[in-house]
Amino acid sequence: AQTVTQSQPEMSVQEAETVTLSCTYDTSESDYYLFWYKQPPSRQMILVIRQEAYKQQNATENRFSVNFQKAAKSFSLKISDSQLGDAAMYFCAYRGGSNYKLTFGKGTLLTVNP
Amino acid sequence: GAGVSQSPRYKVAKRGQDVALRCDPISGHVSLFWYQQALGQGPEFLTYFQNEAQLDKSGLPSDRFFAERPEGSVSTLKIQRTQQEDSAVYLCASSLLQGPSSSQYFGPGTRLTVL
């Protein structure tokens, strides 16, 4: 079974600074997808960024980028120029290439200090 | 609609009561998922529909949990004889296509509290 580990229960960053959230996963599949979701206190889960395992290039969405290390099974999220609105719980998720359900990590609570 | 909607947003039930949670997916989305999120945890998969067909219900915790999507659009998650351990946020997600490359979009969830 696939597992997703987020080793940082909480992180904090100063406004305008950069922060990196860690995620590792375990799988025997070669084809899969990785996601970062943001869950603000209002609870709506928002898709931040996704990465296809077959793509070597790291995904980027505005201030959000990932560092995908396939051999190390690592998928970290970098948030640049942090904003107060980035404060939320961040979940890393895995989806197998022959599967449809998401497997989530336990999340990292990000605090942004003004 | 613009996004996935769920109702009610909050539900308090006495132990032993039956509850029904509703999910309205994004219009035209083929796939629909239910997840359960315990306090301080990541969501865990419950069940999956492709149109009206329930293709996977392996995550349902017990036979007290039942889900349906009779017309391939709105879905209902029903929990019979609720127990305190059923207290959680129930999230619904939908995706446009059935393949794993199609991203899932989540609703706001229903917070169920069983007293």
Side-chain angles (χ1 to χ4, degrees), chain A residues 74-88:
Chain A
S74 171
F75 182 62
S76 61
L77 174 69
K78 185 172 81 171
I79 306 174
S80 304
D81 185 26
S82 298
Q83 301 176 359
L84 295 177
D86 294 334

Side-chain angles (χ1 to χ4, degrees), chain B residues 51-105:
Chain B
N51 295 308
E52 69 279 2
Q54 188 175 22
L55 299 187
D56 188 342
K57 55 181 181 179
S58 63
L60 297 177
S62 75
D63 58 8
R64 296 185 296 104
F65 287 70
F66 171 76
E68 60 183 4
R69 193 186 185 198
E71 297 180 356
S73 178
V74 171
S75 176
T76 303
L77 176 66
K78 298 179 179 178
I79 309 173
Q80 297 176 326
R81 304 181 303 282
T82 52
Q83 304 295 314
Q84 285 189 326
E85 60 262 29
D86 300 335
S87 294
V89 175
Y90 291 86
L91 298 171
C92 176
S94 70
S95 66
L96 179 61
L97 303 174
Q98 64 194 47
S101 64
S102 186
S103 296
Q104 295 181 25
Y105 297 91

Side-chain angles (χ1 to χ4, degrees), chain A:
Chain A
Q2 290 79 24
T3 58
V4 177
T5 302
Q6 294 181 250
S7 59
Q8 306 155 315
E10 297 184 24
M11 290 283 285
S12 64
V13 63
Q14 291 296 126
E15 196 174 2
E17 297 295 310
T18 296
V19 64
T20 299
L21 308 184
S22 300
C23 173
T24 59
Y25 58 95
D26 186 26
T27 183
S28 57
E29 296 179 293
S30 58
D31 180 27
Y32 52 86
Y33 302 81
L34 296 164
F35 305 84
W36 279 98
Y37 280 89
K38 169 185 177 182
Q39 190 176 44
S42 65
R43 208 171 56 241
Q44 184 98 35
M45 192 86 74
I46 302 165
L47 177 63
V48 174
I49 198 166
R50 59 177 276 164
Q51 175 79 43
E52 292 84 351
Y54 64 85
K55 289 187 177 179
Q56 294 184 340
Q57 186 172 5
N58 289 324
T60 299
E61 288 287 343
N62 300 313
R63 297 182 296 105
F64 298 87
S65 62
V66 299
N67 183 6
F68 174 48
Q69 301 290 327
K70 191 171 184 178
K73 296 180 182 175
S74 171
F75 182 62
S76 61
L77 174 69
K78 185 172 81 171
I79 306 174
S80 304
D81 185 26
S82 298
Q83 301 176 359
L84 295 177
D86 294 334
M89 183 72 85
Y90 285 81
F91 291 98
C92 178
Y94 170 99
R95 189 179 189 186
S98 59
N99 209 330
Y100 35 76
K101 57 187 175 184
L102 291 168
T103 299
F104 287 87
K106 291 190 174 183
T108 296
L109 180 63
L110 178 66
T111 302
V112 181
N113 301 309

Side-chain angles (χ1 to χ4, degrees), chain B residues 8-66:
Chain B
R9 292 292 308 276
Y10 303 90
K11 177 69 179 177
V12 178
K14 292 183 179 179
R15 190 173 57 181
Q17 284 185 332
D18 297 349
V19 298
L21 313 180
R22 177 188 170 104
C23 172
D24 283 83
I26 295 172
S27 179
H29 278 201
V30 168
S31 298
L32 185 144
F33 307 80
W34 283 99
Y35 293 84
Q36 180 189 58
Q37 187 176 20
L39 187 64
Q41 302 293 318
E44 293 192 354
F45 171 80
L46 293 178
T47 187
Y48 160 62
F49 289 87
Q50 182 181 314
N51 295 308
E52 69 279 2
Q54 188 175 22
L55 299 187
D56 188 342
K57 55 181 181 179
S58 63
L60 297 177
S62 75
D63 58 8
R64 296 185 296 104
F65 287 70
F66 171 76

